[in-house]
Amino acid sequence: MNIIVCMKQIPAEADIPFDSNGNLIRTKNSRMVGKEDYAALEAALRIKDSLKCNVYVLTLGPDFARSVLYEAIGKGADGGFLICDPQYAGSDTLASAKIISRAADFLPKFDFMFLGNKSQDSATGNLVHQIAQILGIPEVSNVLEVMNIDSLESDENIIVNSLHDDLLIRTRVRKPAILSFSKDSHQVRLTNMRLLSMAYSEDRIQVLDQEILNLNPDEVGVKGSKVRVIENFVPQSSKKGLRFEGDAEHSVEQMMQMLFKNPIFNREIQS
Amino acid sequence: MKSTKILILIEYDAQCKLKKQSKELLTQAFHLKRNEDDKVIALSLVDFFEKEEILSAYINEVSLYGADELLLSKVTTSDRFVYEIYADKVQKLILSEEPDVVIFTEATTAKAVCARLSAKLDMGALSNCVQLEWEEEQLIATRASYGRNLMAKVKSNSPVKLISMQVGAVDIEINKNQEMQVIFLEDEIGQPMPGRLVELISRFKAEQSIEGAKVIVAGGRGLGSEEGFELLKKLAQLIGGELAGTRAAVDMGWIPFSKQIGQTGKAVVADIYIGVGISGAMHHISGMRKSKCIIAINNSPLAPIFDIADYYIVADYKEVLPLMIQKIKEFNR
């Protein structure tokens, strides 16, 4: 059985420059992986813990994003794929979904693809549905737990519990399927130093670029993105809040006097 | 100017009442109309098609918010969780009605349908929008951008604009439409993908959710430790508030993800929001900025959250919170 885990490197800082297209310049900052993606990786590794299964990690990004793959291999993944081509820079979610869906042709045939529910930088949560639509397979978002790990190899289906707004639902879908995991569903394991050093010394990462994927250049990157950023701006707040500063006791005294007169505050703390 | 058609997907809650987010969508769509010929078409897939009384109450409720047409289609209860059925239905309507704009909430099914349609029709999807406005013939959406204090204006190059709106983005208004047309769609509803089977396990209890909370006490990275939340908890208990946190606080493991406010968590519109040790990254702000009374405590005088606060104290929360707690206790006596 094969599971592909998609992971994304995101900026670890808040103040990041934008290019002229309004896209983040991702080369000039420290980087990290979101907890959502770690949850997806851990979910796959737990399946690998209990049955025969290969876990491959996939990331789309600049060359330095390969560190994500090393780390995942250090946690127990079997190999990694880096989708990397200058033409893919600036892709919106749909363009990214097209790239990843095409890459699926060059990956080991998978039973499941796992993703984080939302990336922390763009936070759309669209990718899982877009890939499912393009590949014509079912998807479940906000997954909390895989319920049939032990029989997953022989079962035709995967059974998962997931959050659907304020409901907990159980869904059974046929393989191959794509699942996106909720951030708090799995706590990722520590990196194993022996595996990590192996990841760096052995060549377990394959690069997939435009020469291999051969996508229509009009459908990827900035050119292929249908969502355009017009401008990034600092919102002007019309609010003029009351500021209390200096000695804490004095500030609190003053603020609470104002708050106790505020009808909203008064009503809520009385009730 | 050619007339504009706006299609929206609306939903109802467990009591078959129109969901708050759907009222927001209806209000937003109403405001996108620019002339008499413009039309708001609301689509709802309902599992109470045969229950006349409930159905007519629902229709009545929808008409309060200004839709010109309400399209009703039958769906089974378990199919309400099957994204592809909704996507098929909306796609059919996009082909037959040719709307210019299609707006969704960010509820699980709606979000999935918006994303699936974007791939199906090869069209851009504008997600997490907090504001929509026309600039001549262009529909411009505003959403939180990545970073401390930035919003982004975005547009879609596609012929049909697919949009999902963040909860709490719009102030609900009554715009009753006496002449709202109700159309029952009798055509066959799609099938789930082979092998997909969904069952409902349980409904989460309301107290586990921060979304409807009237009073929220939220903490961020500036608390410095999990112990900081103990102080917050005392304040929250005293004023009947729910504890919540920023992404940073959740990632540090100080508070569970279900209590996360912001773009990757929940959006809230509280009567009172108290933010402690929260600098105010836009991803957090976009999830709470509509709260009525915002109180912020931070020791950095430049914290962006101060820009949207009604009251703020520039000081160490460890000094401020015990004093606040004491004052409220005195006041309550």
PDB file of all heavy atoms in Angstrom, chain B residues 18 26 57-67 70 174-180:
ATOM      1  N   LEU B  18     -32.840  29.066   8.808  1.00  0.00           N
ATOM      2  CA  LEU B  18     -31.771  29.586   7.968  1.00  0.00           C
ATOM      3  C   LEU B  18     -30.528  29.875   8.814  1.00  0.00           C
ATOM      4  O   LEU B  18     -30.624  30.510   9.859  1.00  0.00           O
ATOM      5  CB  LEU B  18     -32.276  30.882   7.316  1.00  0.00           C
ATOM      6  CG  LEU B  18     -31.464  31.511   6.200  1.00  0.00           C
ATOM      7  CD1 LEU B  18     -31.263  30.549   5.050  1.00  0.00           C
ATOM      8  CD2 LEU B  18     -32.153  32.784   5.724  1.00  0.00           C
ATOM      9  N   LEU B  26     -27.104  36.255   1.910  1.00  0.00           N
ATOM     10  CA  LEU B  26     -28.265  36.893   1.285  1.00  0.00           C
ATOM     11  C   LEU B  26     -28.111  38.413   1.340  1.00  0.00           C
ATOM     12  O   LEU B  26     -28.385  39.117   0.360  1.00  0.00           O
ATOM     13  CB  LEU B  26     -29.547  36.446   1.982  1.00  0.00           C
ATOM     14  CG  LEU B  26     -30.038  35.037   1.618  1.00  0.00           C
ATOM     15  CD1 LEU B  26     -30.946  34.479   2.697  1.00  0.00           C
ATOM     16  CD2 LEU B  26     -30.768  35.049   0.276  1.00  0.00           C
ATOM     17  N   ALA B  57     -42.281  27.710   6.497  1.00  0.00           N
ATOM     18  CA  ALA B  57     -41.613  28.606   7.455  1.00  0.00           C
ATOM     19  C   ALA B  57     -40.217  28.975   6.940  1.00  0.00           C
ATOM     20  O   ALA B  57     -39.774  30.124   7.053  1.00  0.00           O
ATOM     21  CB  ALA B  57     -41.507  27.939   8.817  1.00  0.00           C
ATOM     22  N   TYR B  58     -39.570  27.998   6.351  1.00  0.00           N
ATOM     23  CA  TYR B  58     -38.218  28.229   5.810  1.00  0.00           C
ATOM     24  C   TYR B  58     -38.263  29.223   4.647  1.00  0.00           C
ATOM     25  O   TYR B  58     -37.488  30.171   4.584  1.00  0.00           O
ATOM     26  CB  TYR B  58     -37.625  26.884   5.364  1.00  0.00           C
ATOM     27  CG  TYR B  58     -36.202  26.955   4.847  1.00  0.00           C
ATOM     28  CD1 TYR B  58     -35.164  27.375   5.676  1.00  0.00           C
ATOM     29  CD2 TYR B  58     -35.897  26.587   3.537  1.00  0.00           C
ATOM     30  CE1 TYR B  58     -33.855  27.428   5.209  1.00  0.00           C
ATOM     31  CE2 TYR B  58     -34.589  26.632   3.066  1.00  0.00           C
ATOM     32  CZ  TYR B  58     -33.574  27.061   3.902  1.00  0.00           C
ATOM     33  OH  TYR B  58     -32.282  27.104   3.434  1.00  0.00           O
ATOM     34  N   ILE B  59     -39.238  28.999   3.759  1.00  0.00           N
ATOM     35  CA  ILE B  59     -39.387  29.900   2.606  1.00  0.00           C
ATOM     36  C   ILE B  59     -39.627  31.338   3.078  1.00  0.00           C
ATOM     37  O   ILE B  59     -39.027  32.289   2.597  1.00  0.00           O
ATOM     38  CB  ILE B  59     -40.553  29.431   1.696  1.00  0.00           C
ATOM     39  CG1 ILE B  59     -40.164  28.106   1.028  1.00  0.00           C
ATOM     40  CG2 ILE B  59     -40.892  30.485   0.653  1.00  0.00           C
ATOM     41  CD1 ILE B  59     -41.310  27.399   0.313  1.00  0.00           C
ATOM     42  N   ASN B  60     -40.502  31.437   4.089  1.00  0.00           N
ATOM     43  CA  ASN B  60     -40.807  32.739   4.668  1.00  0.00           C
ATOM     44  C   ASN B  60     -39.561  33.426   5.193  1.00  0.00           C
ATOM     45  O   ASN B  60     -39.349  34.618   4.995  1.00  0.00           O
ATOM     46  CB  ASN B  60     -41.785  32.548   5.825  1.00  0.00           C
ATOM     47  CG  ASN B  60     -43.046  33.320   5.579  1.00  0.00           C
ATOM     48  OD1 ASN B  60     -43.000  34.366   4.935  1.00  0.00           O
ATOM     49  ND2 ASN B  60     -44.155  32.792   6.071  1.00  0.00           N
ATOM     50  N   GLU B  61     -38.768  32.632   5.890  1.00  0.00           N
ATOM     51  CA  GLU B  61     -37.554  33.183   6.493  1.00  0.00           C
ATOM     52  C   GLU B  61     -36.585  33.680   5.415  1.00  0.00           C
ATOM     53  O   GLU B  61     -36.029  34.776   5.533  1.00  0.00           O
ATOM     54  CB  GLU B  61     -36.891  32.112   7.368  1.00  0.00           C
ATOM     55  CG  GLU B  61     -35.952  32.728   8.386  1.00  0.00           C
ATOM     56  CD  GLU B  61     -35.212  31.687   9.210  1.00  0.00           C
ATOM     57  OE1 GLU B  61     -35.371  30.479   8.960  1.00  0.00           O
ATOM     58  OE2 GLU B  61     -34.443  32.120  10.092  1.00  0.00           O
ATOM     59  N   VAL B  62     -36.431  32.890   4.354  1.00  0.00           N
ATOM     60  CA  VAL B  62     -35.507  33.284   3.285  1.00  0.00           C
ATOM     61  C   VAL B  62     -35.959  34.597   2.646  1.00  0.00           C
ATOM     62  O   VAL B  62     -35.139  35.475   2.350  1.00  0.00           O
ATOM     63  CB  VAL B  62     -35.387  32.170   2.210  1.00  0.00           C
ATOM     64  CG1 VAL B  62     -34.506  32.635   1.055  1.00  0.00           C
ATOM     65  CG2 VAL B  62     -34.823  30.891   2.813  1.00  0.00           C
ATOM     66  N   SER B  63     -37.289  34.755   2.484  1.00  0.00           N
ATOM     67  CA  SER B  63     -37.803  35.943   1.787  1.00  0.00           C
ATOM     68  C   SER B  63     -37.500  37.246   2.542  1.00  0.00           C
ATOM     69  O   SER B  63     -37.566  38.323   1.977  1.00  0.00           O
ATOM     70  CB  SER B  63     -39.308  35.812   1.559  1.00  0.00           C
ATOM     71  OG  SER B  63     -39.995  36.026   2.774  1.00  0.00           O
ATOM     72  N   LEU B  64     -37.156  37.113   3.834  1.00  0.00           N
ATOM     73  CA  LEU B  64     -36.853  38.314   4.626  1.00  0.00           C
ATOM     74  C   LEU B  64     -35.565  38.994   4.185  1.00  0.00           C
ATOM     75  O   LEU B  64     -35.323  40.150   4.492  1.00  0.00           O
ATOM     76  CB  LEU B  64     -36.689  37.940   6.103  1.00  0.00           C
ATOM     77  CG  LEU B  64     -37.935  37.494   6.864  1.00  0.00           C
ATOM     78  CD1 LEU B  64     -37.558  37.109   8.283  1.00  0.00           C
ATOM     79  CD2 LEU B  64     -38.966  38.601   6.863  1.00  0.00           C
ATOM     80  N   TYR B  65     -34.719  38.246   3.483  1.00  0.00           N
ATOM     81  CA  TYR B  65     -33.371  38.775   3.243  1.00  0.00           C
ATOM     82  C   TYR B  65     -33.113  39.161   1.794  1.00  0.00           C
ATOM     83  O   TYR B  65     -31.971  39.255   1.362  1.00  0.00           O
ATOM     84  CB  TYR B  65     -32.323  37.781   3.776  1.00  0.00           C
ATOM     85  CG  TYR B  65     -32.529  37.534   5.256  1.00  0.00           C
ATOM     86  CD1 TYR B  65     -33.273  36.444   5.709  1.00  0.00           C
ATOM     87  CD2 TYR B  65     -32.041  38.439   6.197  1.00  0.00           C
ATOM     88  CE1 TYR B  65     -33.506  36.261   7.066  1.00  0.00           C
ATOM     89  CE2 TYR B  65     -32.264  38.260   7.551  1.00  0.00           C
ATOM     90  CZ  TYR B  65     -33.001  37.163   7.974  1.00  0.00           C
ATOM     91  OH  TYR B  65     -33.231  36.991   9.316  1.00  0.00           O
ATOM     92  N   GLY B  66     -34.201  39.346   1.046  1.00  0.00           N
ATOM     93  CA  GLY B  66     -34.042  40.041  -0.227  1.00  0.00           C
ATOM     94  C   GLY B  66     -33.764  39.219  -1.465  1.00  0.00           C
ATOM     95  O   GLY B  66     -33.434  39.777  -2.509  1.00  0.00           O
ATOM     96  N   ALA B  67     -33.908  37.881  -1.391  1.00  0.00           N
ATOM     97  CA  ALA B  67     -33.675  37.081  -2.600  1.00  0.00           C
ATOM     98  C   ALA B  67     -34.827  37.300  -3.580  1.00  0.00           C
ATOM     99  O   ALA B  67     -35.966  37.523  -3.178  1.00  0.00           O
ATOM    100  CB  ALA B  67     -33.565  35.611  -2.245  1.00  0.00           C
ATOM    101  N   LEU B  70     -36.048  31.704  -5.025  1.00  0.00           N
ATOM    102  CA  LEU B  70     -35.527  30.635  -4.166  1.00  0.00           C
ATOM    103  C   LEU B  70     -35.730  29.318  -4.908  1.00  0.00           C
ATOM    104  O   LEU B  70     -36.853  28.965  -5.263  1.00  0.00           O
ATOM    105  CB  LEU B  70     -36.276  30.613  -2.823  1.00  0.00           C
ATOM    106  CG  LEU B  70     -35.985  29.415  -1.916  1.00  0.00           C
ATOM    107  CD1 LEU B  70     -34.523  29.361  -1.497  1.00  0.00           C
ATOM    108  CD2 LEU B  70     -36.878  29.460  -0.658  1.00  0.00           C
ATOM    109  N   ILE B 174     -32.471  43.030   7.175  1.00  0.00           N
ATOM    110  CA  ILE B 174     -33.752  42.560   6.640  1.00  0.00           C
ATOM    111  C   ILE B 174     -34.077  43.380   5.395  1.00  0.00           C
ATOM    112  O   ILE B 174     -34.038  44.609   5.437  1.00  0.00           O
ATOM    113  CB  ILE B 174     -34.886  42.758   7.682  1.00  0.00           C
ATOM    114  CG1 ILE B 174     -34.542  42.042   8.989  1.00  0.00           C
ATOM    115  CG2 ILE B 174     -36.236  42.366   7.125  1.00  0.00           C
ATOM    116  CD1 ILE B 174     -34.975  40.618   9.082  1.00  0.00           C
ATOM    117  N   ASN B 175     -34.322  42.692   4.298  1.00  0.00           N
ATOM    118  CA  ASN B 175     -34.736  43.369   3.061  1.00  0.00           C
ATOM    119  C   ASN B 175     -35.872  42.545   2.467  1.00  0.00           C
ATOM    120  O   ASN B 175     -35.699  41.882   1.452  1.00  0.00           O
ATOM    121  CB  ASN B 175     -33.578  43.425   2.059  1.00  0.00           C
ATOM    122  CG  ASN B 175     -32.409  44.248   2.560  1.00  0.00           C
ATOM    123  OD1 ASN B 175     -32.523  45.450   2.730  1.00  0.00           O
ATOM    124  ND2 ASN B 175     -31.284  43.595   2.815  1.00  0.00           N
ATOM    125  N   LYS B 176     -37.003  42.546   3.112  1.00  0.00           N
ATOM    126  CA  LYS B 176     -38.068  41.613   2.738  1.00  0.00           C
ATOM    127  C   LYS B 176     -38.488  41.740   1.283  1.00  0.00           C
ATOM    128  O   LYS B 176     -38.681  42.833   0.781  1.00  0.00           O
ATOM    129  CB  LYS B 176     -39.286  41.798   3.647  1.00  0.00           C
ATOM    130  CG  LYS B 176     -40.337  40.724   3.421  1.00  0.00           C
ATOM    131  CD  LYS B 176     -41.335  40.653   4.553  1.00  0.00           C
ATOM    132  CE  LYS B 176     -42.463  39.680   4.233  1.00  0.00           C
ATOM    133  NZ  LYS B 176     -42.016  38.314   3.942  1.00  0.00           N
ATOM    134  N   ASN B 177     -38.579  40.605   0.633  1.00  0.00           N
ATOM    135  CA  ASN B 177     -39.040  40.596  -0.750  1.00  0.00           C
ATOM    136  C   ASN B 177     -40.364  39.831  -0.826  1.00  0.00           C
ATOM    137  O   ASN B 177     -40.406  38.614  -0.802  1.00  0.00           O
ATOM    138  CB  ASN B 177     -37.995  39.944  -1.654  1.00  0.00           C
ATOM    139  CG  ASN B 177     -38.372  40.034  -3.124  1.00  0.00           C
ATOM    140  OD1 ASN B 177     -39.481  40.463  -3.460  1.00  0.00           O
ATOM    141  ND2 ASN B 177     -37.476  39.627  -3.996  1.00  0.00           N
ATOM    142  N   GLN B 178     -41.471  40.606  -0.926  1.00  0.00           N
ATOM    143  CA  GLN B 178     -42.814  40.015  -0.961  1.00  0.00           C
ATOM    144  C   GLN B 178     -42.995  39.130  -2.193  1.00  0.00           C
ATOM    145  O   GLN B 178     -43.767  38.197  -2.195  1.00  0.00           O
ATOM    146  CB  GLN B 178     -43.886  41.117  -1.019  1.00  0.00           C
ATOM    147  CG  GLN B 178     -43.802  42.145   0.072  1.00  0.00           C
ATOM    148  CD  GLN B 178     -44.493  41.692   1.343  1.00  0.00           C
ATOM    149  OE1 GLN B 178     -44.873  40.535   1.471  1.00  0.00           O
ATOM    150  NE2 GLN B 178     -44.651  42.600   2.302  1.00  0.00           N
ATOM    151  N   GLU B 179     -42.259  39.505  -3.255  1.00  0.00           N
ATOM    152  CA  GLU B 179     -42.477  38.812  -4.529  1.00  0.00           C
ATOM    153  C   GLU B 179     -41.466  37.719  -4.804  1.00  0.00           C
ATOM    154  O   GLU B 179     -41.293  37.306  -5.941  1.00  0.00           O
ATOM    155  CB  GLU B 179     -42.446  39.822  -5.688  1.00  0.00           C
ATOM    156  CG  GLU B 179     -43.763  40.495  -5.942  1.00  0.00           C
ATOM    157  CD  GLU B 179     -43.687  41.982  -5.648  1.00  0.00           C
ATOM    158  OE1 GLU B 179     -42.865  42.663  -6.269  1.00  0.00           O
ATOM    159  OE2 GLU B 179     -44.437  42.442  -4.772  1.00  0.00           O
ATOM    160  N   MET B 180     -40.790  37.261  -3.776  1.00  0.00           N
ATOM    161  CA  MET B 180     -39.782  36.226  -4.024  1.00  0.00           C
ATOM    162  C   MET B 180     -40.456  35.014  -4.673  1.00  0.00           C
ATOM    163  O   MET B 180     -41.445  34.490  -4.178  1.00  0.00           O
ATOM    164  CB  MET B 180     -39.113  35.802  -2.715  1.00  0.00           C
ATOM    165  CG  MET B 180     -38.031  34.738  -2.926  1.00  0.00           C
ATOM    166  SD  MET B 180     -37.225  34.254  -1.398  1.00  0.00           S
ATOM    167  CE  MET B 180     -38.429  33.075  -0.754  1.00  0.00           C
TER     168      MET B 180
END
